[in-house]
Amino acid sequence: MTKVIINSQETSLKVAPETPVLWALRDALGLTGTKYGCGIAQCGACTVHLNGQAIRSCVTPISAADGKKLTTIEGLQTDPIGKLVQETWIEHDVAQCGYCQSGQVMSATALLKSKKNPSDKEIADAMSGNICRCGTYQRIRAAIKAAAKKLA
Ligand code: FES
Ligand code: FES
């Protein structure tokens, strides 16, 4: 049994300890906002926060989250910075097919939580592991900058 605080709720999970966080979220809990892309930590589609840090849930075993806090895209609704990022995403009409976007939003939110006014390089570095096959990168950058401006 793994006990994790998921989106502020204490949750007991009866899955094998080596189960990737991604599948514990999607299959055991029905939290399908977190997406499966590559499964090998290369695309960022599966990004969630573990104790506030952006992690790749496809390669992180649920045992690594025991006693810790996981936040998914569903949990950002009650997070002021997460909400702000989602608002600027809508304002900038970022999503195309949308598949990569929950991971993008999670990475952007983790960045802005650690740094309210990131430089272009810091944005590029923080977002470099999130791939978008639709090529929405310019709008992603614009939305992050707009969110940073609102935080200033
Ligand atoms: S699915 Fe996890 S990084 Fe691609
Ligand atoms: S919006 Fe389609 S993959 Fe990013």
Side-chain angles (χ1 to χ4, degrees), residues 3-75:
K3 286 196 174 179
V4 190
I5 298 164
I6 300 177
N7 298 335
S8 305
Q9 273 205 316
E10 216 170 276
T11 310
S12 297
L13 283 156
K14 282 188 208 155
V15 294
E18 65 273 18
T19 305
V21 168
L22 173 66
W23 301 117
L25 292 170
R26 289 183 60 89
D27 290 349
L29 298 171
L31 291 170
T32 54
T34 305
K35 303 301 184 204
Y36 169 66
C38 64
I40 51 169
Q42 295 295 305
C43 75
C46 67
T47 305
V48 298
H49 298 173
L50 179 61
N51 276 1
Q53 301 271 24
I55 58 143
R56 303 299 185 238
S57 65
C58 65
V59 294
T60 306
I62 194 68
S63 57
D66 199 15
K68 297 183 181 159
K69 284 185 195 171
L70 276 176
T71 306
T72 70
I73 190 79
E74 290 88 351

Side-chain angles (χ1 to χ4, degrees), residues 31-137:
L31 291 170
T32 54
T34 305
K35 303 301 184 204
Y36 169 66
C38 64
I40 51 169
Q42 295 295 305
C43 75
C46 67
T47 305
V48 298
H49 298 173
L50 179 61
N51 276 1
Q53 301 271 24
I55 58 143
R56 303 299 185 238
S57 65
C58 65
V59 294
T60 306
I62 194 68
S63 57
D66 199 15
K68 297 183 181 159
K69 284 185 195 171
L70 276 176
T71 306
T72 70
I73 190 79
E74 290 88 351
L76 288 195
Q77 273 307 305
T78 52
D79 179 286
I81 293 184
K83 241 180 135 174
L84 177 66
V85 169
Q86 288 175 307
E87 279 164 18
T88 58
W89 240 244
I90 292 165
E91 280 163 25
H92 289 264
D93 208 5
V94 173
Q96 195 162 315
C97 81
Y99 198 83
C100 71
Q101 296 294 332
S102 66
Q104 305 277 6
V105 166
M106 295 308 290
S107 289
T109 300
L111 168 66
L112 290 172
K113 275 172 176 280
S114 67
K115 190 134 211 176
K116 286 196 167 51
N117 190 17
S119 65
D120 287 356
K121 186 181 177 321
E122 284 166 335
I123 293 173
D125 287 349
M127 301 306 292
S128 64
N130 286 80
I131 293 177
C132 175
R133 67 190 162 186
C134 299
T136 62
Y137 300 111

